[in-house]
Amino acid sequence: MTLRLVLIRHAKSSWDDFSIDDHDRQLNARGRRSAAAIGEWIADRGDIPREVLCSDATRTRETLDLLMEQWPTTPAVRYLQSLYLAPATTMLAELKTAKAPIVAMIGHNPGIGSFACGLVHERPDHPRYASYPTCATAIIDFDVAHWSDVSAASGRVVAFTTPRELLNE
């Protein structure tokens, strides 16, 4: 059996008001365009998740809302405080609790970049994969029956993109 992870870094957020707590920062206009474009890319590929594990930060929630506007079905969503600025080890622990065959996870750097690199046996030949820019998205397959069986370096990248490639920015 193959399980599929759609691993998404939140879209570009605003730094206009430094009095706002980091957890509460919202997306900027570019971030909103990027999230919609990534949502459409995921839908066009047919990789609609049935379950989403999402950091509970404002910018990850907004990213997810914009992604889901592009999807024909609405997945089950879990907003997790543990994914806010989580290291790769925490992200893996949360992923192991998933149940659906296609799961999306939305998080933050630097943890998500480390997670993306550590999950796969071989990184894709893409100059931005290791840095995992805002709203970067990887589709990663695992040849396991249960998410609890996923381990480091066990995934295979099927696709990877950034909003800049989709929007020609």
Side-chain angles (χ1 to χ4, degrees), residues 8 13-14 40 57-58 73 79 82 85 95 106 113 117 147 150 158:
I8 308 159
S13 57
S14 175
E40 184 177 350
T58 300
T73 58
Y79 296 104
S82 60
L85 303 179
L95 180 60
I106 305 174
C117 290
W147 288 106
V150 169
V158 176

Side-chain angles (χ1 to χ4, degrees), residues 4-6 49 51-53 95 98-105 147:
R4 178 161 283 182
L5 174 64
V6 182
E51 181 178 1
V52 178
L53 310 176
L95 180 60
K99 303 291 182 227
I102 301 177
V103 172
M105 181 177 277
W147 288 106

Side-chain angles (χ1 to χ4, degrees), residues 65-87:
D65 288 346
L66 292 162
L67 293 166
M68 289 192 305
E69 286 179 9
Q70 306 301 315
W71 299 345
T73 58
T74 302
V77 177
R78 286 192 282 154
Y79 296 104
L80 303 168
Q81 192 281 328
S82 60
L83 290 180
Y84 173 63
L85 303 179

